[in-house]
Structure formats: structure tokens, C-alpha cells
Amino acid sequence: MLNWIKFLFLFLLALGFTVTIIVFYQAEKPFAVSENKVKEAILAHNVLEKVDKMDHYHGKTSWITVYGTDKNHHEKIIFVEEETTKILKAISIKDGITKRIATDIVKKEKNVKKVLNASLGLENDTPFWEVSYLDDEDFLNYAYLNFADGKWLKRISKL
């Protein structure tokens, strides 16, 4: 009887582990497909020579922010519409503030308990940093900072 209990426990544990892996794989699959599609389009149109990293952003529309280097070895950021792979804007990394500077600006001006994420976005042809954070009261907050100069564009507080 004890062997059956051990077998059943191990079987259910293995089954749970397998189902978890399959669910995570299936959940990640659409992101991988869209990233590959965007990467192929960027490289095919010679916009970038090398793609280093990609981030997804979901604002008014969904797009992928592509980080990489062009043929002149300048670091660039390309905003690509996710559905159509249309290039919305290309900017140089040196033309704006870094992720670290954006989070430091938010920490200096607000009571930040924990920074959750900082990602580049684009709205009305203006690139910005979206910094999400928890305040001292554990409320979710968003700060939007201009990519070029770090000035505040918008705040969403206490969600």
C-alpha cells in the first residue's frame, strides 16, 4: 500500500511539472513568433545589422522595441508595430536618458518602495520611459518620463 502511495505521489508530481512546462511554453510562443517576425523584417530592411534585445510594449497599440547596432556601429532603438512590422520610429540610444537614470529620477521625486519595471514606449511620436513602481503604501504607480530629457510627461497614481 505504501508503494502505491509513493508511486501515485511521484506520478502526480511529474504530471504537474509537465503540465506547468507545457503551459509556460504555450504562453511564451506568441511572443517568440512576433519577435522572430520583427527581427527578420528589421534585418531584411537593413535597419540594424545586429539585434541585441527586444521588449514588448502595449499602449494604445502594441509594438516591439528593438535594441541593436546599425552598420555604422551606432546603438539604436527601433519601435516596430507588432502586427504589421511597420517601423514607427528609430532613435539613437545616446540621444536620451538611460533606464537607470529614469528610475533614479522617479526614486528622487516619489516615495518609491520598489521599482517593478521600466520600459520604453512611444506615444504621439515621442519616446518615453514608463516606470512602474510600488509606493510606501503598496499602491501601483506609473511614471512617464520623456526619453530625450527625463522630464515628467504623465503620472498615474495609486492603482
Side-chain angles (χ1 to χ4, degrees), residues 35 53-57 63-67 99 118-120:
E35 284 181 2
K53 168 180 142 177
M54 288 189 259
D55 288 332
H56 291 261
Y57 185 84
W63 62 82
I64 297 177
T65 308
V66 183
Y67 301 82
K99 182 178 189 176
S119 59
L120 271 174

Side-chain angles (χ1 to χ4, degrees), residues 38-51 69-72 76 78 87 90:
V38 166
K39 185 176 181 178
E40 288 173 9
I42 290 284
L43 296 174
H45 290 94
N46 295 320
V47 178
L48 293 176
E49 193 172 85
K50 180 181 156 208
V51 173
T69 52
D70 63 10
K71 62 184 175 188
N72 298 324
K76 298 274 186 184
I78 312 293
I87 296 172

